[in-house]
Amino acid sequence: RKRNHTKFEVSNMIAKTAASMMMLCASGAAAWAPTAPAQLVQQRHSATALFSSATEKYTMDGQEIRGPLTPLGNLVLVKVKDTLTATDGGVLLPDQSKERPTEGLVIASGPGKIHPFTAVRIHNPIKEGMSVLYGKFDGRSIEYNDDSCQMIRDDDCLLYYEGVTMKLDNVYPVRDYVLVELDVDESLETNSGVVISQQVVANNNPCEGVVVKIGEGRMASNGEFTKSPVQPGDRVKFRDYAGSEVKIEGKEYSLVKMVNILSSFNAEVAEAALAEAAAGAEDDES
């Protein structure tokens, strides 16, 4: 009798175990069935990406390298733009033939440099896909994937923008740079129609103009920004030869660091004072 009872318990346990396994298989199949195609597609895409990255070739200065260039610290890899400018006679001249900053498209950029004293990482504001304006003699020229490129620092960038060409709407000064619209004296127009900036002929006088845009500010050692001492609309004077001139939408501008600004005052207040002085002079003459 005991033997029969033991056999009954064993068979009962086997039946329960089999039923539980069948239920688990059914629920697992129901849960797996809808997601199986998505998982297969994802695995296929991952395998394709790995295969394409393994088969794609990269070259630097004519020699093959094992992978894409990855800038470190605050370095930025820029593909030089060969933008053409039309003269009055219809002749196209490359911008590189002129004494002006150089434009480029950012291919890759580093995360930012680490401050040597505070060990705080200073973030890099320049990101992949941006277009930047930098000094003509800044950085090191390299040939990357048969393209003329430049390896520069984020400190070398004057401004950045998104799009094909620079416009006043889409340009942004980098960090402590200030975009100043230069004063142009209409009386300094030559016979051929070329307008000469007033600062070109007045070398002994400080350059001046109206602030159009300002950057985030000067970066401190703790990673925080010091606000700009000037605001858009202020009239400023800055040191001679301290600015980098750039032409945007046919107007002359200069990019100046905040530390090179000598003085500032509100342009509206200055214009009102000049108008009041002119009105007083007319009253005195009458």
Coordinates of all heavy atoms in Angstrom, one line a residue, residues 80-114:
V80 N 38.5 72.4 -44.2 CA 38.6 73.8 -44.7 C 37.6 74.0 -45.8 O 37.5 73.2 -46.7 CB 40.0 74.1 -45.2 CG1 40.1 75.5 -45.7 CG2 41.0 73.8 -44.0
K81 N 36.9 75.1 -45.7 CA 35.9 75.5 -46.7 C 36.6 76.3 -47.8 O 37.3 77.3 -47.4 CB 34.7 76.2 -46.2 CG 33.7 75.3 -45.4 CD 32.5 76.2 -45.0 CE 31.5 75.3 -44.3 NZ 30.3 76.1 -43.9
D82 N 36.4 76.1 -49.0 CA 36.9 76.9 -50.1 C 35.8 77.7 -50.7 O 35.3 77.4 -51.8 CB 37.6 76.0 -51.2 CG 38.4 76.8 -52.2 OD1 38.6 78.0 -51.9 OD2 38.8 76.3 -53.2
T83 N 35.3 78.7 -49.9 CA 34.2 79.5 -50.4 C 34.7 80.5 -51.4 O 35.8 81.1 -51.3 CB 33.6 80.3 -49.1 OG1 33.4 79.3 -48.1 CG2 32.3 80.9 -49.5
L84 N 33.8 80.7 -52.4 CA 34.2 81.7 -53.5 C 33.4 83.0 -53.3 O 32.2 83.0 -52.9 CB 33.9 81.0 -54.8 CG 34.6 79.8 -55.2 CD1 34.2 79.2 -56.5 CD2 36.1 80.0 -55.1
T85 N 34.1 84.1 -53.6 CA 33.5 85.4 -53.6 C 33.5 86.0 -54.9 O 34.6 86.0 -55.6 CB 34.2 86.3 -52.5 OG1 34.1 85.6 -51.3 CG2 33.5 87.6 -52.4
A86 N 32.4 86.6 -55.4 CA 32.4 87.2 -56.7 C 32.8 88.7 -56.6 O 32.3 89.4 -55.8 CB 31.0 87.1 -57.3
T87 N 33.6 89.2 -57.6 CA 34.0 90.6 -57.7 C 33.0 91.3 -58.5 O 32.0 90.7 -59.1 CB 35.4 90.7 -58.3 OG1 35.4 90.2 -59.6 CG2 36.4 89.9 -57.4
D88 N 33.2 92.6 -58.7 CA 32.2 93.4 -59.5 C 32.3 93.0 -60.9 O 31.3 93.0 -61.6 CB 32.6 94.9 -59.4 CG 32.4 95.4 -58.0 OD1 31.6 94.8 -57.3 OD2 33.0 96.4 -57.6
G89 N 33.4 92.5 -61.4 CA 33.5 92.0 -62.8 C 33.1 90.6 -63.0 O 33.2 90.1 -64.1
G90 N 32.6 89.9 -61.9 CA 32.1 88.6 -62.1 C 33.1 87.5 -61.9 O 32.9 86.3 -62.1
V91 N 34.4 87.9 -61.5 CA 35.4 86.9 -61.3 C 35.3 86.4 -59.9 O 35.1 87.1 -58.9 CB 36.8 87.6 -61.4 CG1 37.9 86.6 -61.2 CG2 36.9 88.2 -62.8
L92 N 35.4 85.0 -59.8 CA 35.3 84.3 -58.5 C 36.6 84.2 -57.9 O 37.6 83.6 -58.5 CB 34.6 83.0 -58.7 CG 33.2 83.0 -59.2 CD1 32.6 81.6 -59.4 CD2 32.3 83.7 -58.2
L93 N 36.8 84.7 -56.7 CA 38.1 84.6 -56.0 C 37.9 83.7 -54.7 O 36.9 83.9 -54.0 CB 38.6 86.0 -55.6 CG 38.9 86.9 -56.7 CD1 39.3 88.3 -56.1 CD2 40.0 86.4 -57.6
P94 N 38.8 82.8 -54.4 CA 38.7 82.0 -53.2 C 39.0 82.9 -52.0 O 39.8 83.8 -52.1 CB 39.7 80.9 -53.3 CG 40.7 81.5 -54.3 CD 39.9 82.4 -55.3
D95 N 38.3 82.7 -50.9 CA 38.5 83.5 -49.7 C 39.9 83.4 -49.1 O 40.3 84.2 -48.4 CB 37.4 83.1 -48.6 CG 36.1 83.6 -48.9 OD1 36.0 84.5 -49.7 OD2 35.1 83.2 -48.3
Q96 N 40.6 82.2 -49.4 CA 41.9 82.0 -48.9 C 42.9 83.1 -49.5 O 44.0 83.2 -48.9 CB 42.4 80.6 -49.2 CG 41.8 79.6 -48.3 CD 40.4 79.3 -48.6 OE1 39.9 79.7 -49.6 NE2 39.7 78.6 -47.7
S97 N 42.5 83.7 -50.6 CA 43.4 84.7 -51.2 C 43.4 86.1 -50.5 O 44.1 86.9 -50.7 CB 43.1 84.9 -52.6 OG 41.8 85.5 -52.8
K98 N 42.4 86.2 -49.5 CA 42.3 87.4 -48.8 C 42.8 87.3 -47.4 O 42.8 86.2 -46.8 CB 40.8 87.8 -48.8 CG 40.2 88.1 -50.1 CD 38.8 88.5 -50.1 CE 37.9 87.4 -49.5 NZ 36.5 87.8 -49.5
E99 N 43.3 88.4 -46.8 CA 43.7 88.4 -45.4 C 42.5 88.4 -44.5 O 42.1 89.5 -44.1 CB 44.7 89.6 -45.2 CG 46.0 89.5 -46.0 CD 46.8 88.3 -45.5 OE1 46.7 87.9 -44.3 OE2 47.6 87.7 -46.3
R100 N 42.0 87.3 -44.2 CA 40.8 87.2 -43.3 C 40.8 85.9 -42.6 O 41.5 84.9 -43.0 CB 39.5 87.4 -44.1 CG 39.4 86.5 -45.3 CD 38.0 86.5 -45.8 NE 37.1 85.9 -44.8 CZ 35.8 85.9 -45.0 NH1 35.2 86.4 -46.0 NH2 35.0 85.4 -44.0
P101 N 40.0 85.7 -41.6 CA 39.9 84.4 -40.9 C 39.4 83.3 -41.9 O 38.9 83.6 -42.9 CB 38.9 84.6 -39.8 CG 39.0 86.1 -39.5 CD 39.3 86.7 -40.9
T102 N 39.7 82.1 -41.6 CA 39.3 80.9 -42.4 C 38.1 80.2 -41.9 O 37.9 80.1 -40.7 CB 40.5 80.0 -42.5 OG1 41.7 80.7 -42.8 CG2 40.3 78.9 -43.5
E103 N 37.2 79.8 -42.8 CA 36.0 79.0 -42.4 C 36.3 77.5 -42.6 O 37.1 77.1 -43.4 CB 34.9 79.4 -43.3 CG 34.5 80.9 -43.2 CD 33.3 81.2 -44.1 OE1 32.3 80.5 -44.1 OE2 33.5 82.2 -44.9
G104 N 35.6 76.7 -41.8 CA 35.7 75.3 -41.9 C 34.5 74.6 -41.3 O 33.7 75.2 -40.5
L105 N 34.3 73.3 -41.7 CA 33.2 72.5 -41.2 C 33.8 71.5 -40.2 O 34.8 70.8 -40.5 CB 32.6 71.7 -42.4 CG 31.5 70.7 -42.0 CD1 30.3 71.5 -41.4 CD2 31.0 69.9 -43.2
V106 N 33.2 71.5 -39.0 CA 33.7 70.6 -37.9 C 33.4 69.1 -38.2 O 32.2 68.8 -38.4 CB 33.1 71.0 -36.6 CG1 33.6 70.1 -35.5 CG2 33.5 72.5 -36.3
I107 N 34.4 68.3 -38.3 CA 34.3 66.9 -38.5 C 34.2 66.1 -37.2 O 33.4 65.2 -37.0 CB 35.4 66.3 -39.4 CG1 35.5 67.0 -40.8 CG2 35.3 64.8 -39.6 CD1 36.6 66.6 -41.6
A108 N 35.0 66.5 -36.2 CA 35.0 65.9 -34.9 C 35.6 66.9 -33.9 O 36.4 67.8 -34.3 CB 35.8 64.6 -34.9
S109 N 35.3 66.7 -32.7 CA 35.8 67.6 -31.6 C 36.0 66.8 -30.3 O 35.3 65.8 -30.1 CB 34.9 68.8 -31.4 OG 33.6 68.3 -30.9
G110 N 36.9 67.3 -29.5 CA 37.2 66.6 -28.2 C 36.2 67.1 -27.2 O 35.5 68.1 -27.4
P111 N 36.2 66.5 -26.0 CA 35.3 66.9 -24.9 C 35.6 68.2 -24.2 O 34.8 68.8 -23.6 CB 35.4 65.7 -24.0 CG 36.7 65.1 -24.2 CD 37.0 65.3 -25.6
G112 N 36.9 68.6 -24.3 CA 37.3 69.8 -23.7 C 38.5 69.6 -22.8 O 38.8 68.4 -22.5
K113 N 39.3 70.6 -22.5 CA 40.5 70.5 -21.8 C 40.3 70.5 -20.3 O 39.2 70.9 -19.8 CB 41.5 71.6 -22.1 CG 41.0 73.0 -21.7 CD 42.0 74.1 -22.1 CE 41.5 75.4 -21.7 NZ 42.4 76.5 -22.1
I114 N 41.2 69.9 -19.6 CA 41.2 69.9 -18.1 C 42.1 71.0 -17.6 O 43.2 71.1 -17.9 CB 41.6 68.5 -17.6 CG1 40.6 67.4 -18.0 CG2 41.6 68.5 -16.0 CD1 40.9 66.0 -17.6

